[in-house]
Amino acid sequence: MKRQLAATALSFFLIFQATPESLAQKNASSTKRLATPQQVESLWYKNSIIYSVDIDAFKDSDGDGTGDFNGLTQQLDYLQLLGVDVLWLAPFQPSPKLDNGYDISDYYGVNPKLGTPGDFAEFMYQARKRGMRVITDLVLNHTSDQHPWFQEARQNPNSRFRDWYVWSKDRPKDWNKGMVFPGVQEATWSYDEKAGAYYSHRFYKFQPDLNYQNPAVQREAERIIGFWLQQGVDGFRLDAVPFIIEDPRSDREKPIHYFEQISSIRRFTQFRNGNAIILGEANVLPDENQRYFGEEGNGIQMMFNFYVNQHLFYTLASKELKPLKKALEGTRDIPPTAQWGNFLRNHDELDLGRLTEKQRNKVYQEFGPQKNMQLYERGIRRRLAPMLHNRKQLELAYSLMFSLPGTPVIRYGDEIAMGDDLSLKEREAVRTPMQWSAGKHAGFSTSDQPLENPVIDKGEFAYQQVNVEAQLREPGSFLNWTANLIRVRKLCPEIGWGDWQILETGSPYVLAMQYAFKGNHVVLLQNFSETPQQVSFSSGATAKNRLENLLQPETLQADDKGQVKTQVEGYGYRWYRIGGMLPLHDIK
């Protein structure tokens, strides 16, 4: 209890004691930090393993063909075995389900197909008993057009809900600009016959935008946050952050943003629960990062690093390291209490919109050459395993992601290298049910009816070959490899808490990163070439100590000139701890 109170007090201290000057330090290795190492260690989100799960696609407990909370609860021991610390739940509230639940019709309930509020409470209890935290999707930018708020707003111009949405009597000049889903979506303003007006929708037309210029909407958003915090969740993955805070009547392609709204959401969240976090979805350029994290560290605590993610895939495709290094350096400078969420794939398309056209075409060529593999004129709608060419490159990709500055986020099924179903529309291709066994419906459901979202039953990634049960029995399976990598990652808290630097290796294909925290150091090597590479690197830490390989028996020592030399196999990776196998903990 004392530790929890201390962490809560720290959260408030860090919000209100930060100064712009203390956050303007460009040198990440500087010892002049706002938070001491001991304080940073208390921020749980900086060194967790986050697992993204769609409840309806994970495990069906009652045979109706849809995954549910009871099914998820049944599999918590599996997730604990894997090494998961935090579960990120996709939207589970009542919804017409036209966009994977991101079209919410009741913010305060549980979709009956997924269970009852009692099932949710039992899931929360069982997750907490296993030491897991839970964050949920928070979809505040828009509602479903079936939400009672919107239905009343469109039918009654004098309703209090009318101004909860964004309307225009005349069709705006930019009615077809700024679409989130180009090539599929036709407009961002649509006419409603009953309302006799156009309404704004940055996403699909069945997802009308809420009006955050209205204080009543801001208060309702706080009620939603407060309600789910009261149910025990540990924070939120805040959907579509840039669209929540934009002025909906400003230029669609160059909108005005009100960043104080982010600080307001953060402030309210931590007022209700000092340990709760906001993980933001904001695919923005590096020069915008500070405004989302907060000039004084009082914005969202975490943000997905889309910029590094896109350059990571370019490097995997091209073997060219320079753009990835530049992206890492470009996203280095964040407040000490903030953290990046690193990922490979998620529930959406692989967005390549921040790459140049030439870079994007290279990624298409390597990982999504067919037109039906591409989506929204900017991305690829495939899971990771089918995109990459072999097991070695798949391991390299995960070794890299787990070794990047920040917190790793993995997608359900990626730990067994699940495939995709390109016969399904748009992003549904990567949302197929979890493959538990070689039995009926991949062990996902006992339903006697065809599943609404079918399991993958053909080809290399069919459930008969790719499933949890088979991989648990196979020591060399991708599942067991992933679980071991997670264990090793947990032995390297420097990655989540420490400072980092890129070391020169003498090879254009090998990325070397060194992390330091409280006198402990790790060095991580990743070879993007299919051929072995001879590398040589040095730092003040490596010159004086031995390097122990954390993944296989190997010990390195610097030569008389302070250089550490080794050969890294094609698509190989090495995780070294400097000085010994385990970190030394300073208890002072």
Side-chain angles (χ1 to χ4, degrees), residues 254-474:
K254 294 182 179 179
I256 297 170
H257 290 105
Y258 300 107
F259 289 94
E260 61 270 20
Q261 292 182 18
I262 295 177
S263 298
S264 178
I265 291 172
R266 160 79 177 270
R267 189 163 51 247
F268 179 84
T269 300
Q270 288 209 296
F271 180 75
R272 289 295 179 93
N273 180 349
N275 285 318
I277 67 154
I278 302 291
L279 167 57
E281 182 203 27
N283 184 356
V284 297
L285 292 169
D287 60 4
E288 300 175 89
N289 292 336
Q290 196 75 3
R291 304 196 72 182
Y292 285 87
F293 285 124
E295 295 294 338
E296 298 182 359
N298 59 344
I300 50 183
Q301 292 99 323
M302 291 189 68
M303 192 157 65
F304 290 108
N305 199 336
F306 284 95
Y307 194 71
V308 164
N309 174 264
Q310 295 176 49
H311 288 87
L312 180 158
F313 273 94
Y314 175 69
T315 297
L316 285 171
S318 68
K319 304 178 178 58
E320 185 183 344
L321 269 180
K322 187 175 180 181
L324 177 58
K325 289 181 178 180
K326 186 177 180 181
L328 286 166
E329 292 291 354
T331 56
R332 175 195 286 274
D333 184 37
I334 63 175
T337 55
Q339 184 66 300
W340 287 115
N342 294 312
F343 63 102
L344 289 168
R345 290 295 292 112
N346 56 24
H347 60 294
D348 291 333
E349 76 283 2
L350 169 60
D351 193 326
L352 304 172
R354 297 299 181 187
L355 300 181
T356 66
E357 184 176 359
K358 182 179 179 181
Q359 290 173 331
R360 188 161 49 250
N361 287 337
K362 179 63 177 177
V363 180
Y364 281 153
Q365 176 188 329
E366 292 295 320
F367 302 140
Q370 300 174 25
K371 201 66 180 175
N372 74 330
M373 297 175 177
Q374 301 169 18
L375 191 62
Y376 306 141
E377 302 172 5
R378 62 167 184 260
I380 296 176
R381 62 186 202 106
R382 304 185 73 190
R383 279 218 185 222
L384 187 67
M387 276 198 291
L388 302 184
H389 301 306
N390 53 58
R391 166 73 180 264
K392 291 184 69 176
Q393 197 175 23
L394 188 62
E395 289 184 9
L396 169 67
Y398 271 97
S399 172
L400 174 64
M401 188 272 285
F402 274 87
S403 69
L404 291 175
T407 296
V409 183
I410 58 177
R411 174 77 171 152
Y412 81 89
D414 278 357
E415 73 272 21
I416 59 170
M418 268 178 59
D420 46 47
D421 185 349
L422 295 175
S423 71
L424 301 176
K425 70 173 187 176
E426 297 181 50
R427 298 171 294 178
E428 296 303 311
V430 299
R431 299 170 178 172
T432 58
M434 182 68 174
Q435 297 170 193
W436 294 104
S437 73
K440 181 180 179 180
H441 296 316
F444 163 73
S445 175
T446 59
S447 174
D448 293 326
Q449 303 298 319
L451 301 181
E452 182 179 342
N453 196 5
V455 297
I456 297 172
D457 59 2
K458 296 181 180 67
E460 179 184 355
F461 297 95
Y463 70 85
Q464 294 89 341
Q465 291 85 245
V466 179
N467 62 72
V468 172
E469 282 190 5
Q471 294 197 25
L472 281 173
R473 296 188 183 102
E474 174 53 52

Side-chain angles (χ1 to χ4, degrees), residues 93-105:
Q93 291 82 5
S95 164
K97 292 282 286 183
L98 298 179
D99 183 24
N100 201 42
Y102 286 84
D103 48 331
I104 292 175
S105 56

Side-chain angles (χ1 to χ4, degrees), residues 234-252:
D234 297 282
F236 305 94
R237 178 263 189 190
L238 185 57
D239 185 59
V241 180
F243 300 124
I244 295 173
I245 65 173
E246 77 175 17
D247 184 334
R249 301 187 186 281
S250 60
D251 188 297
R252 283 297 206 209

